[in-house]
Amino acid sequence: MYLFTSEVVSPGHPDKCADIIADTIVDILLSNDKDSRVASEVFVAGNKVVIGGEVKSKHKLSKKDYDELVKNALAKIGYDGKSAFTHKQCLHPDDVEVLVFLNEQSPDINQGVDQESGEIGAGDQGIMFGFASCEADEYMPAAISYARKLCDKVYEYARKNPDKLGVDIKTQVTIDYTNKKNFEECKPQSIHTIVVSAPCVESMDIKELRELVMKLILESDLPKELFHPEKTRILINPTGKYVNHSSLHDSGLTGRKLIVDSFGGYSPIGGGAQSSKDYTKVDRSGLYAARWLAKNIVAAKLAKKCVVQLSYAIGVAEPTSVSVDCMGTNEGVDDNVLSDFVMKNYPLTPNWIKNKFALDKPSKDSFLYADVAARGQVGQKDYPWERLDAVKDFESLK
């Protein structure tokens, strides 16, 4: 055996609640003022939601506005007061207290970001990594792809059946590659272990819960060539019945699920979170650009997997470094050529990335940052940075 594991959490996990609230703020401010500058962290503990950080926007939000957007975000997640869980078992919107500690963005940062030339300097220094793999349809590693499928299935059921399940859900998938060579060549052999933990109402027996979740696992459209129910080890609520959940029984903080949000631990990740930040913060925009590049390189069949690293200096538009690493899986074009091609053909400034993916225009018709926070920062086909519109560019290198 050669095993690799990734986990996923649902939007109802307290950390994800914090991310979703933070990105709801980003959505509202950018939708009303595309030049808004936002870096608002969120902490959720018990029935308290604490919002802190810095904001600069022509669109002003009152304390009442923050109260409403928090409660609306929680209700959309599933904490809408309509479940069969009591006020002591999970969070209810009427119990939520919102505390706001927001300051104006520092002029020392702003002078380097919004430049007189119209260029946008990076909102911070840092490193970002984008990754892609041929292991799954989404050009993502197999483990996190299938953990997401499972989590989505159980979460969807919980939203439709609040009399049975809660929305604070975790899934985990272990892939067996059989040997290191298969791992390196992106050839998963089987799903070795599945773990699902989901809260159920107090009246539900643990046997009934496990039968219900097992049914959802079997309906989750896992690849038949990898998933063999009679052989796969399946653990459902391994500690037993799980009733008490949400931030009443666990705290949540913005940016604490970076591995879940990105590539499941399969590749390096950058030094900062994405949620809560506007597009000038390269922790966000740099990840999207690096993922787009890596995905298009793999889709062009130049490699089986690819890592793209970008780095930036605060107030400077152009990246300080660009590198492409196909981890020895190159198909005829080496990493030096790929790195040079990327540097010469894609400016990768915050302004270029913003325009490429319309990051200053979140909307229901394109994407909402709150939805991205709920579903993962990468790996969803409908995100603008997941488009395969540079494949021909890279194919020209063959």
Side-chain angles (χ1 to χ4, degrees):
M1 292 187 295
Y2 192 88
L3 307 177
F4 186 87
T5 302
S6 294
E7 72 155 348
V8 169
V9 300
S10 72
H13 186 284
D15 288 335
K16 284 285 96 194
C17 290
D19 287 340
I20 291 165
I21 291 167
D23 276 344
T24 299
I25 296 170
V26 176
D27 283 328
I28 291 172
L29 292 177
L30 284 178
S31 296
N32 288 278
D33 174 12
K34 64 182 179 62
D35 296 319
S36 294
R37 302 292 177 251
V38 194
S40 55
E41 310 300 332
V42 175
F43 174 51
V44 184
N47 64 352
K48 304 288 194 298
V49 175
V50 182
I51 302 170
E54 54 184 31
V55 167
K56 180 177 178 288
S57 179
K58 294 174 185 174
H59 184 70
K60 305 302 180 184
L61 295 175
S62 66
K63 174 61 165 58
K64 183 180 178 182
D65 292 329
Y66 282 108
D67 289 344
E68 289 180 358
L69 73 84
V70 166
K71 292 182 181 182
N72 289 340
L74 290 171
K76 187 175 180 181
I77 290 166
Y79 297 117
D80 54 9
K82 297 177 182 177
S83 74
F85 294 89
T86 69
H87 288 250
K88 291 184 178 181
Q89 291 170 345
C90 86
L91 190 64
H92 284 242
D94 294 340
D95 300 333
V96 173
E97 181 182 352
V98 180
L99 305 172
V100 181
F101 304 98
L102 289 171
N103 302 306
E104 286 275 325
Q105 184 184 57
S106 167
D108 297 335
I109 296 175
N110 185 252
Q111 67 182 348
V113 175
D114 298 308
Q115 301 177 2
E116 290 183 5
S117 64
E119 187 55 86
I120 297 174
D124 202 352
Q125 72 174 52
I127 59 171
M128 304 86 222
F129 291 91
F131 177 78
S133 165
C134 65
E135 286 187 3
D137 292 342
E138 300 83 4
Y139 291 92
M140 292 283 284
I144 192 167
S145 289
Y146 305 142
R148 279 184 179 174
K149 281 183 184 290
L150 290 170
C151 196
D152 290 347
K153 187 70 176 180
V154 180
Y155 176 67
E156 180 185 14
Y157 183 90
R159 291 292 287 118
K160 291 179 179 178
N161 298 273
D163 58 323
K164 293 183 179 179
L165 298 185
V167 294
D168 186 356
I169 298 156
K170 280 189 173 185
T171 59
Q172 186 170 287
V173 169
T174 300
I175 299 291
D176 185 5
Y177 291 84
T178 303
N179 54 56
K180 181 70 180 293
K181 184 179 179 184
N182 284 335
F183 176 77
E184 291 175 344
E185 295 183 355
C186 302
K187 295 178 179 178
Q189 301 297 300
S190 65
I191 295 176
H192 181 275
T193 302
I194 288 171
V195 183
V196 179
S197 295
C200 66
V201 293
E202 200 162 14
S203 59
M204 184 179 287
D205 180 81
I206 186 64
K207 182 181 177 183
E208 180 186 354
L209 169 72
R210 286 173 174 157
E211 288 175 351
L212 169 59
V213 173
M214 185 65 197
K215 183 174 182 291
L216 295 173
I217 291 171
L218 295 173
E219 294 173 355
S220 293
D221 196 30
L222 296 173
K224 294 179 180 178
E225 67 274 17
L226 299 179
F227 178 46
H228 309 287
E230 70 283 357
K231 295 180 181 179
T232 300
R233 186 185 186 203
I234 299 175
L235 304 172
I236 301 169
N237 285 40
T239 64
K241 202 159 76 166
Y242 158 40
V243 176
N244 299 308
H245 63 286
S246 81
S247 61
L248 294 186
H249 305 278
D250 184 16
S251 62
L253 185 65
T254 313
R256 203 158 57 178
K257 286 292 176 282
L258 299 188
I259 296 290
V260 169
D261 270 343
S262 55
F263 308 103
Y266 197 104
S267 83
I269 61 169
Q274 290 72 54
S275 288
S276 85
K277 299 171 182 176
D278 69 81
Y279 53 83
T280 66
K281 306 293 191 295
V282 283
D283 287 322
R284 164 161 257 153
S285 50
L287 167 68
Y288 298 163
R291 161 63 179 174
W292 174 75
L293 288 165
K295 184 176 180 181
N296 277 270
I297 288 170
V298 173
K301 299 189 185 312
L302 297 184
K304 292 176 181 175
K305 52 187 171 184
C306 177
V307 177
V308 174
Q309 191 213 46
L310 306 178
S311 70
Y312 292 85
I314 188 167
V316 179
E318 296 79 12
T320 54
S321 68
V322 178
S323 68
V324 177
D325 178 6
C326 294
M327 306 169 85
T329 67
N330 306 65
E331 300 285 350
V333 180
D334 69 30
D335 293 338
N336 289 328
V337 173
L338 286 168
S339 297
D340 189 56
F341 183 82
V342 169
M343 284 189 281
K344 287 181 178 177
N345 289 276
Y346 306 105
L348 297 173
T349 65
N351 200 39
W352 184 87
I353 300 170
K354 175 202 74 173
N355 292 332
K356 173 68 180 174
F357 306 126
L359 298 183
D360 59 340
K361 300 179 181 69
S363 73
K364 292 180 180 178
D365 296 328
S366 56
F367 72 94
L368 290 169
Y369 286 113
D371 181 55
V372 172
R375 299 167 64 205
Q377 297 290 330
V378 294
Q380 304 289 355
K381 292 180 180 179
D382 54 318
Y383 295 169
W385 48 94
E386 295 289 326
R387 293 182 191 134
L388 294 174
D389 53 357
V391 171
K392 289 185 179 179
D393 293 347
F394 286 106
E395 285 179 339
S396 68
L397 296 172
K398 291 182 179 179

